[in-house]
Amino acid sequence: MTTPFPDDALPTPPPGCPAHGLGTGGLGAGGLRRLYGPEAEANPAGLYEKLRAEHGEVAPVLLHGDLPAWLIVGHSANLIAMRTPSRFSRDSRRWAAFQDGLVAPDSPLMPVIAWQPLCVFADGEEHKRLRGAVTDGLNSFDRRGVRRHVTRFTDQLVQEFGPTGRAELVTQFAEHLPMLVMTQLVGMPEEYGPHLVEAARDLMKGTETAVASNDYVVATLRRMMERKRASPGADLVSWLMQHEAGLTDDEVLEHLRVVLLAANETTVNLIADTLKMVLTDHRFRTHLSGGHMTLPDALDQVLWDSAPMSLVAGRWATGDTELGGQQIKAGDMLLLGLAAGNADPAVRPDPTKPLHGNRSHLAFGAGPHECPGQDIGRAIAETGIDVLLTRLPDLHLAVEEEELTWTSAWISRHLSALPVQFTPRTAPEEEPAAPAPVVSTPAPRGAVRPTPPAAAPQAVPVEPAGPAEPAAGDPPVVTATVPGPRRSWWDSLTRWLRL
């Protein structure tokens, strides 16, 4: 951070701010609602609707430390904030609370809003330079290669719990699959995957060991950068280091960290919520048995109903302006209410109406900061769920739907557990191991790629060249056995539902 934090700075709102005179509970004395605490976390959707009814498209709220901000709950107002960086900057150093020394160094807001030299905190030409490298790298992956990774790791996970006939799909499936796939796209040896999964889960949950977990992620990425500097490959690490944008080592490292963690967090939620919908939503089962809904349709519905991130912090006003009927002052923070905007009656007058094929939701953002990895996230979720339900076609919930619970924080809502049952499945014996998946290697714009020998193939394995060098204590590589040609899970599940 470039903003100083005096040790004796008190969390006092600036003069004239409506956050003065706050009481306790979910409301301040001035009637401002808090986005944190038991009341907000128990029913975030209900809180958003109260704010919409009281204030319209943009509502004044309080963050941790009772710091004031604006929550955008209207769909159109969210799009305006996302698409006009000249009015609403991504640079958190503009926040008046920072400039006035009101944010404590240990504030729970800091991991999300502390400025870093990343494209997500940049505007203009600097944003274009940094994001261009990330986008070019992500767009270089062959989606068929990504899906082969997903299939292989899904089979591997199913083999672990398949013989028991029971599983908890959040902790045993959804929280593992995205990171296992992303480690391959980044170019890490496969044996690093399980450790990174655990570190990422620990880091995002903010446990007492979260700092140590972050240190592990950073150290692993630095080790990979050194390896790829000597032996580049068809992976995101190599492509970022070679890109014409000229990213520094620190910029490469921080963008890799953001890609890994952001992709993991959002895709975990997308997988868990989509599986929950498949197993419990009568609309889905009705349409499925009638042949009117596809898995991409189901993903779109979930992205409307349960955005992987409830809100994004944030945007900062570059000057005095107006949005949604509210007078915004220079330096004010605005929170993008993705979940609230998706529920806006202006765009969804009937929330029970299916939204098949409608991708105008806010789940991936919009404008210059729209999520660059959304296609990869969708591919991981869609393929993983497809393969899982093909392998276990009679998968069904092991508890009543009413027993499912969620944990909520100010930026996201997580399904706590999804216990299921199914006919036990034993892994096939003596099947040959699947060949190493490959990705096509088109060079991203501006990348400096090594010239291959004349006889080199056009596709290169994702795994790094040469033997892996696992850290002490790392587990051995687990080779997944992939069954042969399979019938679509839609056919299998439709037959089961009609029994």
Side-chain angles (χ1 to χ4, degrees):
M1 284 298 300
T2 60
T3 305
F5 298 104
D7 292 337
D8 58 349
L10 298 175
T12 305
C17 173
H20 278 289
L22 295 171
T24 59
L27 285 175
L32 295 184
R33 298 187 181 275
R34 293 183 171 97
L35 285 186
Y36 67 97
E39 293 185 34
E41 294 169 3
N43 183 15
L47 173 60
Y48 302 151
E49 292 313 306
K50 289 180 181 178
L51 291 169
R52 195 192 315 277
E54 293 168 357
H55 302 284
E57 286 194 285
V58 181
V61 295
L62 298 172
L63 299 177
H64 296 268
D66 281 349
L67 296 171
W70 299 96
L71 175 62
I72 308 175
V73 297
H75 190 276
S76 62
N78 268 290
L79 289 176
I80 291 172
M82 293 174 185
R83 292 171 174 171
T84 53
S86 60
R87 293 171 59 193
F88 305 105
S89 170
R90 200 62 181 86
D91 189 339
S92 64
R93 293 172 296 184
R94 294 178 178 269
W95 193 15
F98 276 157
Q99 297 170 6
D100 294 336
L102 304 179
V103 187
D106 60 351
S107 167
L109 303 175
M110 290 297 288
V112 179
I113 50 83
W115 183 88
Q116 300 174 63
L118 294 166
C119 64
V120 294
F121 289 105
D123 298 312
E125 289 302 313
E126 182 65 0
H127 172 261
K128 183 178 179 180
R129 178 182 76 89
L130 296 172
R131 182 183 169 99
V134 174
T135 301
D136 288 346
L138 293 175
N139 287 343
S140 296
F141 289 110
D142 174 14
R143 295 303 183 265
R144 290 175 297 180
V146 173
R147 291 177 188 275
R148 284 193 288 271
H149 284 304
V150 179
T151 298
R152 182 161 58 98
F153 286 119
T154 299
D155 281 326
Q156 184 173 302
L157 292 170
V158 170
Q159 287 175 17
E160 292 177 4
F161 57 71
T164 68
R166 304 180 66 91
E168 198 288 281
L169 293 181
V170 174
T171 57
Q172 291 184 274
F173 183 72
E175 289 187 351
H176 289 261
L177 183 61
M179 183 62 76
L180 291 172
V181 175
M182 290 305 300
T183 56
Q184 295 298 286
L185 302 187
V186 167
M188 292 182 178
E190 188 167 309
E191 57 267 28
Y192 286 9
H195 290 287
L196 278 173
V197 167
E198 295 303 320
R201 290 169 62 188
D202 187 61
L203 176 60
M204 297 306 294
K205 291 178 180 178
T207 68
E208 294 181 356
T209 56
V211 173
S213 293
N214 180 67
D215 291 343
Y216 175 81
V217 172
V218 170
T220 303
L221 290 174
R222 288 194 186 281
R223 186 160 61 248
M224 285 306 304
M225 289 171 61
E226 290 303 315
R227 179 176 297 176
K228 295 301 179 180
R229 196 185 314 278
S231 180
D235 52 71
L236 188 59
V237 175
S238 301
W239 292 333
L240 288 181
M241 294 176 69
Q242 297 166 343
H243 199 273
E244 66 176 358
L247 272 62
T248 66
D249 283 355
D250 285 343
E251 288 173 339
V252 171
L253 172 67
E254 291 302 327
H255 282 89
L256 288 170
R257 178 178 173 274
V258 166
V259 167
L260 277 177
L261 297 180
N264 187 67
E265 176 73 1
T266 56
T267 310
V268 165
N269 288 345
L270 180 56
I271 292 172
D273 287 336
T274 304
L275 281 169
K276 184 263 180 187
M277 178 184 175
V278 169
L279 297 173
T280 65
D281 195 308
H282 294 296
R283 294 175 304 168
F284 180 85
R285 292 193 172 193
T286 299
H287 286 293
L288 176 63
S289 61
H292 297 146
M293 178 179 272
T294 65
L295 186 51
D297 289 336
L299 288 174
D300 287 329
Q301 187 71 47
V302 168
L303 289 167
W304 275 101
D305 294 340
S306 305
M309 301 294 289
S310 301
L311 61 85
V312 171
R315 297 293 189 273
W316 288 269
T318 60
D320 293 352
T321 187
E322 183 273 338
L323 181 66
Q326 300 285 7
Q327 297 302 311
I328 312 297
K329 298 296 184 181
D332 281 0
M333 179 198 279
L334 297 97
L335 309 172
L336 304 177
L338 308 184
N342 282 347
D344 188 347
V347 294
R348 293 187 69 183
D350 181 2
T352 66
K353 184 178 180 179
L355 293 165
H356 304 166
N358 186 334
R359 297 191 178 181
S360 58
H361 55 75
L362 303 174
F364 295 124
H369 288 278
E370 183 175 4
C371 176
Q374 58 186 279
D375 290 342
I376 291 178
R378 286 186 65 108
I380 293 173
E382 180 181 332
T383 305
I385 295 171
D386 184 4
V387 175
L388 174 69
L389 296 177
T390 297
R391 301 297 185 257
L392 308 173
D394 63 344
L395 191 73
H396 59 281
L397 202 60
V399 298
E400 296 297 325
E401 181 181 354
E402 293 73 20
E403 297 180 45
L404 299 178
T405 61
W406 279 259
T407 56
S408 298
W410 67 296
I411 61 173
S412 61
R413 182 171 180 259
H414 308 267
L415 182 62
S416 301
L418 191 64
V420 294
Q421 294 177 325
F422 49 87
T423 301
R425 175 186 181 276
T426 303
E429 296 181 358
E430 298 183 355
E431 286 194 24
V438 297
V439 297
S440 60
T441 60
R445 176 174 57 82
V448 179
R449 304 300 302 276
T451 303
Q458 296 301 308
V460 181
V462 167
E463 287 75 17
E469 298 173 7
D474 278 353
V477 177
V478 178
T479 303
T481 57
V482 181
R486 58 188 175 86
R487 181 176 60 194
S488 169
W489 78 268
W490 297 104
D491 294 335
S492 302
L493 191 54
T494 299
R495 289 186 177 88
W496 176 66
L497 289 171
R498 288 173 174 171
L499 293 178

